[in-house]
Amino acid sequence: QVQLVESGGGLVQAGGSLRLSCAASGRTFSTYVMAWFRQAPGKEREIVAAINWSGGSTYSADSVKGRFTISRDNAKNTVYLQMNSLKLEDTAVYYCATGRFTITTSAAQYVYWGQGTQVTVSS
């Protein structure tokens, strides 16, 4: 069993930055892929970024490439999402997910989810 707790969301102006954190419980954290998804009102949940167990392989959605960076610290059981140059369209609830050993963009393939943290980008 893995429990995930996100933090770091908030209100930020367009062009600003935020860093999201996701703290995980459970000894299997270091073996799992960790991913960030987001869901805006009226839209489907979409993947933002994912990282493999070692941090040596990452995935970023085209919409965030060059602006968002995913990283992890296995010693702290924590995964991060550094978000720079935020845009209005980045406004969403951001979720941390895990439970897989390989990166996939499908939300249905992830077993464990956090409760989400709201990110609101204002003009």
Side-chain angles (χ1 to χ4, degrees):
Q1 190 76 4
V2 176
Q3 292 185 325
L4 304 173
V5 179
E6 301 98 335
S7 61
L11 175 65
V12 63
Q13 286 191 324
S17 298
L18 281 175
R19 188 176 81 154
L20 305 184
S21 299
C22 173
S25 65
R27 291 181 292 177
T28 55
F29 170 84
S30 62
T31 65
Y32 279 152
V33 163
M34 299 297 299
W36 286 98
F37 284 79
R38 67 185 180 186
Q39 188 165 20
K43 294 188 177 181
E44 292 187 357
R45 193 168 296 191
E46 63 175 0
I47 192 165
V48 176
I51 187 167
N52 77 333
W53 70 273
S54 68
S57 179
T58 62
Y59 167 87
S60 295
D62 288 344
S63 59
V64 306
K65 278 182 180 177
R67 301 188 298 121
F68 291 10
T69 302
I70 189 170
S71 62
R72 67 190 295 163
D73 185 337
N74 288 340
K76 295 182 179 180
N77 278 13
T78 301
V79 63
Y80 305 97
L81 185 68
Q82 178 65 45
M83 305 187 295
N84 299 327
S85 302
L86 282 159
K87 302 177 180 180
L88 296 178
E89 52 264 41
D90 294 320
T91 295
V93 177
Y94 283 70
Y95 298 91
C96 177
T98 190
R100 289 188 52 85
F101 297 106
T102 57
I103 292 176
T104 178
T105 60
S106 170
Q109 300 299 314
Y110 290 85
V111 178
Y112 305 106
W113 291 84
Q115 82 289 350
T117 186
Q118 176 71 47
V119 171
T120 303
V121 183
S122 65
S123 58

